[in-house]
Amino acid sequence: MFSKRMKEDLVGILYILPFGIIWLIFSAWPTIYGFVISLYDWNPLKGSKFLGFGNYIYLFTHNRFWNSLFRTLEFAGIFIILTLLLALSFAFLLYFFPKSKTRTFSESFLFFPYLLNVSVIALIWKWLLDPDFGLITYYISSILGKAPRFLNSIFWAVPAIALASAWWLSGYRTTIFLTALETVPKELVESAKIDGAGTWIIMWKILFPLIRPQFLFSLVLTTISGFTALGQVMIMTDGGPGNASEVLALYLYRLGFQYFDMGKAAAAGSVLVVIMFVLTLVGMKILGLGGEIE
């Protein structure tokens, strides 16, 4: 009745069906419903009023939205680059020294922050960067004579939160990269060494191209984390000083849960979704994985 190909397709569909249903209910539908809310002056108790793109026009004509968007791009740019660079560096380091006695300890030490809650991470770094008794500010003051007031500075607030976030999440990316590197046939690396290739060439010309799918996966995860950062920002600076570290997720939160303007909050969320979607497509294009993903 069914051809072999049709049976294989049916089995494949049945395998992904449970996840597909959960994804539709908890990810796709909330995103679509959020966009619908963004078109209304949403008030479920008194009745909602259709505004079309009025909420978007409001956002795009207010400086606070543009400030939060700029801060989000600043935070995401620093965070994504820092996280992936740290993760790649540690992964290559562990890959090239597989028999090191400290390898197990190093892997555990790098992965441990990922197990902590965002509140714990934010409080640790808030303490480390405290201008009066923070360890980091103390040692910087000892060396340079004076340390910046990181979390009270318009210039340093966003980079400081990005650094804390990168320390928190880079360990998981390191594990992904290291696992991918260990699947690369050893013969390829040994052949390259015999041909005279140095470590740098082996890393970027042989190993990195072979782990590009895992790099894309980490890039997408890190991009989402970068554009949706909220907890660490609220605890470390609460968007301050002034609005110097008020990222888009925090602005969205305040619109929705402090000013109870769900329509504008949903519009800000929809803008965030579009930005992440576009950046993901750009990442796929740059890494040349369009065909492999399909």
Side-chain angles (χ1 to χ4, degrees):
M1 183 176 177
F2 295 107
S3 66
K4 185 179 178 182
R5 178 61 185 272
M6 289 178 70
K7 286 181 180 176
E8 289 176 352
D9 291 344
L10 185 60
V11 170
I13 291 171
L14 289 175
Y15 269 118
I16 65 170
L17 191 59
F19 173 78
I21 293 172
I22 293 172
W23 180 79
L24 283 171
I25 294 173
F26 293 104
S27 293
W29 172 243
T31 303
I32 295 168
Y33 191 58
F35 175 72
V36 173
I37 291 176
S38 74
L39 302 177
Y40 286 84
D41 179 9
W42 196 71
N43 189 331
L45 298 178
K46 296 181 179 178
S48 302
K49 181 183 176 183
F50 183 72
L51 298 177
F53 290 99
N55 287 323
Y56 293 92
I57 293 171
Y58 173 88
L59 291 178
F60 292 138
T61 53
H62 278 73
N63 291 334
R64 192 168 175 182
F65 169 77
W66 288 109
N67 172 70
S68 64
L69 183 59
F70 174 75
R71 296 303 175 188
T72 304
L73 293 172
E74 181 188 5
F75 173 84
I78 298 171
F79 167 72
I80 293 169
I81 292 171
L82 204 55
T83 303
L84 295 178
L85 272 180
L86 282 174
L88 265 181
S89 303
F90 288 133
F92 278 129
L93 199 62
L94 292 169
Y95 177 79
F96 282 109
F97 296 97
K99 297 180 180 177
S100 169
K101 293 179 180 177
T102 60
R103 173 167 171 157
T104 303
F105 172 77
S106 302
E107 287 185 70
S108 305
F109 181 76
L110 291 170
F111 191 76
F112 177 71
Y114 185 70
L115 302 176
L116 300 177
N117 185 278
V118 63
S119 305
V120 178
I121 296 295
L123 288 172
I124 289 172
W125 277 88
K126 191 174 182 180
W127 174 73
L128 288 171
L129 298 173
D130 188 279
D132 297 321
F133 52 80
L135 277 180
I136 291 178
T137 50
Y138 169 76
Y139 284 115
I140 292 177
S141 298
S142 302
I143 297 169
L144 302 177
K146 186 179 180 182
R149 299 175 70 86
F150 290 101
L151 301 180
N152 299 320
S153 162
I154 293 175
F155 180 78
W156 286 108
V158 170
I161 302 170
L163 175 64
S165 305
W167 179 76
W168 176 33
L169 296 175
S170 59
Y172 177 55
R173 279 68 174 170
T174 301
T175 304
I176 294 172
F177 294 146
L178 187 59
T179 304
L181 286 170
E182 288 177 342
T183 62
V184 176
K186 301 292 183 188
E187 294 79 9
L188 283 176
V189 178
E190 295 302 325
S191 300
K193 286 180 181 176
I194 292 170
D195 290 339
T199 304
W200 187 258
I201 297 293
I202 293 172
M203 282 167 54
W204 299 111
K205 298 290 185 183
I206 297 174
L207 294 174
F208 183 73
L210 293 173
I211 64 168
R212 279 188 306 158
Q214 290 79 11
F215 186 83
L216 175 64
F217 173 70
S218 299
L219 177 64
V220 172
L221 277 186
T222 310
T223 301
I224 293 171
S225 299
F227 279 88
T228 56
L230 176 63
Q232 59 269 54
V233 180
M234 291 181 74
I235 294 172
M236 292 178 74
T237 63
D238 197 25
N243 293 323
S245 61
E246 188 183 60
V247 293
L248 202 50
L250 180 57
Y251 178 58
L252 182 161
Y253 171 82
R254 284 174 169 161
L255 280 173
F257 297 102
Q258 290 185 359
Y259 309 140
F260 300 106
D261 196 337
M262 290 295 177
K264 292 185 180 63
S270 297
V271 171
L272 206 51
V273 169
V274 171
I275 291 172
M276 287 189 290
F277 181 69
V278 170
L279 288 178
T280 301
L281 291 180
V282 171
M284 290 172 62
K285 182 71 177 177
I286 291 173
L287 290 172
L289 295 174
E292 294 177 36
I293 296 299
E294 290 169 4

Short mmCIF file of all heavy atoms in Angstrom, two decimals, residues 161-183:
data_model
loop_
_atom_site.label_atom_id
_atom_site.label_comp_id
_atom_site.label_asym_id
_atom_site.label_seq_id
_atom_site.Cartn_x
_atom_site.Cartn_y
_atom_site.Cartn_z
N ILE A 161 28.12 43.86 32.35
CA ILE A 161 27.05 42.83 32.37
C ILE A 161 27.32 41.78 31.29
O ILE A 161 27.09 40.58 31.49
CB ILE A 161 25.67 43.48 32.16
CG1 ILE A 161 25.40 44.53 33.24
CG2 ILE A 161 24.57 42.43 32.20
CD1 ILE A 161 24.18 45.39 32.97
N ALA A 162 27.81 42.22 30.13
CA ALA A 162 28.12 41.27 29.04
C ALA A 162 29.22 40.31 29.46
O ALA A 162 29.17 39.11 29.16
CB ALA A 162 28.52 42.04 27.78
N LEU A 163 30.24 40.83 30.17
CA LEU A 163 31.33 39.98 30.65
C LEU A 163 30.81 38.93 31.63
O LEU A 163 31.16 37.74 31.54
CB LEU A 163 32.40 40.85 31.32
CG LEU A 163 33.57 40.10 31.98
CD1 LEU A 163 34.37 39.34 30.93
CD2 LEU A 163 34.48 41.06 32.75
N ALA A 164 29.96 39.35 32.56
CA ALA A 164 29.39 38.41 33.52
C ALA A 164 28.56 37.34 32.81
O ALA A 164 28.63 36.15 33.14
CB ALA A 164 28.53 39.17 34.53
N SER A 165 27.80 37.75 31.81
CA SER A 165 26.96 36.81 31.07
C SER A 165 27.81 35.82 30.26
O SER A 165 27.47 34.64 30.16
CB SER A 165 26.01 37.57 30.13
OG SER A 165 25.25 38.51 30.85
N ALA A 166 28.90 36.32 29.68
CA ALA A 166 29.80 35.45 28.90
C ALA A 166 30.45 34.41 29.82
O ALA A 166 30.58 33.23 29.45
CB ALA A 166 30.87 36.28 28.20
N TRP A 167 30.86 34.83 31.01
CA TRP A 167 31.45 33.88 31.98
C TRP A 167 30.43 32.81 32.35
O TRP A 167 30.76 31.64 32.53
CB TRP A 167 31.89 34.67 33.21
CG TRP A 167 32.48 33.81 34.29
CD1 TRP A 167 33.73 33.25 34.33
CD2 TRP A 167 31.83 33.40 35.50
NE1 TRP A 167 33.88 32.52 35.49
CE2 TRP A 167 32.75 32.59 36.24
CE3 TRP A 167 30.58 33.65 36.06
CZ2 TRP A 167 32.44 32.04 37.46
CZ3 TRP A 167 30.27 33.09 37.28
CH2 TRP A 167 31.20 32.30 37.97
N TRP A 168 29.19 33.21 32.45
CA TRP A 168 28.11 32.30 32.83
C TRP A 168 27.85 31.23 31.75
O TRP A 168 27.73 30.04 32.04
CB TRP A 168 26.84 33.12 33.09
CG TRP A 168 25.61 32.34 33.41
CD1 TRP A 168 25.52 31.16 34.08
CD2 TRP A 168 24.27 32.72 33.08
NE1 TRP A 168 24.20 30.78 34.20
CE2 TRP A 168 23.41 31.71 33.59
CE3 TRP A 168 23.70 33.81 32.42
CZ2 TRP A 168 22.02 31.77 33.45
CZ3 TRP A 168 22.32 33.87 32.29
CH2 TRP A 168 21.50 32.86 32.80
N LEU A 169 27.81 31.64 30.48
CA LEU A 169 27.31 30.76 29.43
C LEU A 169 28.38 30.15 28.53
O LEU A 169 28.08 29.26 27.74
CB LEU A 169 26.29 31.51 28.56
CG LEU A 169 25.02 31.96 29.30
CD1 LEU A 169 24.14 32.79 28.39
CD2 LEU A 169 24.26 30.75 29.82
N SER A 170 29.63 30.62 28.61
CA SER A 170 30.64 30.12 27.67
C SER A 170 31.00 28.64 27.94
O SER A 170 31.41 27.93 27.03
CB SER A 170 31.90 30.99 27.71
OG SER A 170 32.43 31.00 29.01
N GLY A 171 30.84 28.18 29.17
CA GLY A 171 31.19 26.79 29.49
C GLY A 171 30.36 25.78 28.71
O GLY A 171 30.88 24.76 28.23
N TYR A 172 29.08 26.06 28.55
CA TYR A 172 28.21 25.15 27.80
C TYR A 172 28.63 25.09 26.34
O TYR A 172 28.67 24.02 25.72
CB TYR A 172 26.76 25.60 27.94
CG TYR A 172 25.78 24.79 27.15
CD1 TYR A 172 25.71 23.40 27.31
CD2 TYR A 172 24.91 25.38 26.24
CE1 TYR A 172 24.80 22.64 26.59
CE2 TYR A 172 24.00 24.64 25.51
CZ TYR A 172 23.96 23.28 25.68
OH TYR A 172 23.07 22.53 24.95
N ARG A 173 28.93 26.27 25.77
CA ARG A 173 29.40 26.32 24.37
C ARG A 173 30.74 25.58 24.23
O ARG A 173 31.01 24.92 23.21
CB ARG A 173 29.56 27.76 23.88
CG ARG A 173 28.29 28.46 23.44
CD ARG A 173 27.36 28.72 24.57
NE ARG A 173 26.21 29.53 24.18
CZ ARG A 173 25.17 29.70 24.98
NH1 ARG A 173 25.12 29.14 26.17
NH2 ARG A 173 24.15 30.45 24.59
N THR A 174 31.59 25.69 25.25
CA THR A 174 32.87 24.97 25.21
C THR A 174 32.63 23.46 25.10
O THR A 174 33.29 22.76 24.32
CB THR A 174 33.68 25.25 26.50
OG1 THR A 174 33.91 26.65 26.60
CG2 THR A 174 35.01 24.52 26.49
N THR A 175 31.67 22.97 25.85
CA THR A 175 31.34 21.53 25.81
C THR A 175 30.86 21.13 24.42
O THR A 175 31.24 20.07 23.90
CB THR A 175 30.24 21.23 26.85
OG1 THR A 175 30.69 21.66 28.14
CG2 THR A 175 29.95 19.74 26.90
N ILE A 176 30.02 21.97 23.80
CA ILE A 176 29.52 21.68 22.45
C ILE A 176 30.69 21.61 21.46
O ILE A 176 30.80 20.66 20.67
CB ILE A 176 28.52 22.76 22.01
CG1 ILE A 176 27.27 22.70 22.88
CG2 ILE A 176 28.14 22.59 20.54
CD1 ILE A 176 26.31 23.84 22.65
N PHE A 177 31.57 22.62 21.51
CA PHE A 177 32.70 22.66 20.56
C PHE A 177 33.66 21.49 20.80
O PHE A 177 34.15 20.87 19.85
CB PHE A 177 33.46 23.99 20.69
CG PHE A 177 32.65 25.18 20.27
CD1 PHE A 177 32.81 26.41 20.90
CD2 PHE A 177 31.73 25.10 19.25
CE1 PHE A 177 32.06 27.51 20.52
CE2 PHE A 177 30.97 26.20 18.85
CZ PHE A 177 31.15 27.40 19.49
N LEU A 178 33.93 21.20 22.07
CA LEU A 178 34.88 20.13 22.38
C LEU A 178 34.34 18.77 21.93
O LEU A 178 35.07 17.95 21.37
CB LEU A 178 35.15 20.11 23.90
CG LEU A 178 36.24 19.16 24.37
CD1 LEU A 178 37.57 19.47 23.70
CD2 LEU A 178 36.40 19.21 25.88
N THR A 179 33.05 18.55 22.14
CA THR A 179 32.44 17.30 21.69
C THR A 179 32.53 17.17 20.17
O THR A 179 32.83 16.09 19.63
CB THR A 179 30.95 17.26 22.12
OG1 THR A 179 30.89 17.44 23.53
CG2 THR A 179 30.31 15.93 21.76
N ALA A 180 32.29 18.28 19.47
CA ALA A 180 32.38 18.27 18.00
C ALA A 180 33.82 18.02 17.55
O ALA A 180 34.07 17.24 16.61
CB ALA A 180 31.86 19.59 17.44
N LEU A 181 34.78 18.66 18.22
CA LEU A 181 36.19 18.48 17.84
C LEU A 181 36.63 17.03 18.01
O LEU A 181 37.41 16.51 17.20
CB LEU A 181 37.07 19.39 18.70
CG LEU A 181 37.02 20.89 18.37
CD1 LEU A 181 37.74 21.69 19.44
CD2 LEU A 181 37.63 21.16 17.00
N GLU A 182 36.13 16.38 19.02
CA GLU A 182 36.56 15.00 19.29
C GLU A 182 35.95 13.99 18.32
O GLU A 182 36.35 12.83 18.31
CB GLU A 182 36.22 14.64 20.74
CG GLU A 182 37.16 15.37 21.71
CD GLU A 182 36.83 15.12 23.16
OE1 GLU A 182 35.70 14.66 23.44
OE2 GLU A 182 37.69 15.38 24.02
N THR A 183 34.98 14.44 17.50
CA THR A 183 34.43 13.55 16.47
C THR A 183 35.22 13.64 15.16
O THR A 183 35.00 12.84 14.25
CB THR A 183 32.96 13.87 16.18
OG1 THR A 183 32.88 15.21 15.67
CG2 THR A 183 32.10 13.76 17.43
#
